[in-house]
Amino acid sequence: MKNIQSILGIILVSAFTLTSCSSDDNTVVASAQLDFSGTYAQQDQMGRPAVNTVFVSSGSKDSFNTTIPTQQNAAFQVMFQTNLTGLSPAFANAGDQNALGQDAAAFTGLLATDVLNVSLDGTTTFYDGTNVLTGRALADDVITVELLLIFGGENFMENPTLSDDHVDANDKPFLSSFPYLASPW
């Protein structure tokens, strides 16, 4: 009896799922009117991938996420520095620097203001060996650059097992024209 109930349950769920799906993925349903009235509150922000996740302590996430970027350095740089020196052997000693020549205070001062900088008249890149944080191209290996700056020390050679995510390219090629993103699946 229990097997029959299970089979009937599976059939009902399958029937509901099949009748709820459509094979027409090309139809765009546009809302007649978008309503932007009301009061909104910022809930999250992430200018640079993984920075908020790694350096903001769990009890401070809501506060960080709702602090405007011009106030983040003053409010969170000390927390970032404490977490950096506790996390990275490349910043374990006073005077340690990363490959940009930044000590822990300077580096975390940069990170604590969690925005994505954009150069209006130069190369757009997260890091290309010459330009640093002048934007972000889709193919930039942002996480590896961040790992190198956190763990790689003064010459990117320290802690090699911690300094690379080993994801060297997107799984699909980016488009050469707008919207530039790779097609999904």
Side-chain angles (χ1 to χ4, degrees), residues 42-45 52 56-69 71-72 75-76 79:
Q42 182 173 328
Q43 297 295 313
D44 194 10
Q45 69 177 349
N52 181 337
V56 179
S57 302
S58 61
S60 299
K61 295 283 186 193
D62 289 342
S63 177
F64 183 82
N65 285 330
T66 56
T67 299
I68 61 172
Q71 297 175 358
Q72 287 178 322
F76 298 99
M79 176 196 315

Side-chain angles (χ1 to χ4, degrees), residues 19-66:
T19 58
S20 300
C21 295
S22 168
S23 62
D24 184 7
D25 294 334
N26 296 324
T27 302
V28 176
V29 179
S31 174
Q33 284 283 354
L34 297 176
D35 181 7
F36 291 107
S37 64
T39 302
Y40 296 90
Q42 182 173 328
Q43 297 295 313
D44 194 10
Q45 69 177 349
M46 189 164 293
R48 297 185 192 109
V51 168
N52 181 337
T53 304
V54 172
F55 291 105
V56 179
S57 302
S58 61
S60 299
K61 295 283 186 193
D62 289 342
S63 177
F64 183 82
N65 285 330
T66 56

Side-chain angles (χ1 to χ4, degrees), residues 46-124:
M46 189 164 293
R48 297 185 192 109
V51 168
N52 181 337
T53 304
V54 172
F55 291 105
V56 179
S57 302
S58 61
S60 299
K61 295 283 186 193
D62 289 342
S63 177
F64 183 82
N65 285 330
T66 56
T67 299
I68 61 172
T70 56
Q71 297 175 358
Q72 287 178 322
N73 190 343
F76 298 99
Q77 183 276 328
V78 172
M79 176 196 315
F80 274 53
Q81 185 171 341
T82 299
N83 290 339
L84 174 67
T85 55
L87 175 70
S88 175
F91 283 99
N93 302 305
D96 282 340
Q97 297 180 340
N98 62 17
L100 300 178
Q102 298 170 316
D103 63 11
F107 184 43
T108 55
L110 172 71
L111 295 178
T113 303
D114 193 18
V115 297
L116 180 61
N117 305 68
V118 177
S119 173
L120 299 178
D121 57 2
T123 302
T124 299

Side-chain angles (χ1 to χ4, degrees), residues 1-2 5 34 66 82 92 99 142 171:
M1 184 66 171
K2 202 168 195 174
Q5 288 176 335
L34 297 176
T66 56
T82 299
V142 173
D171 56 344

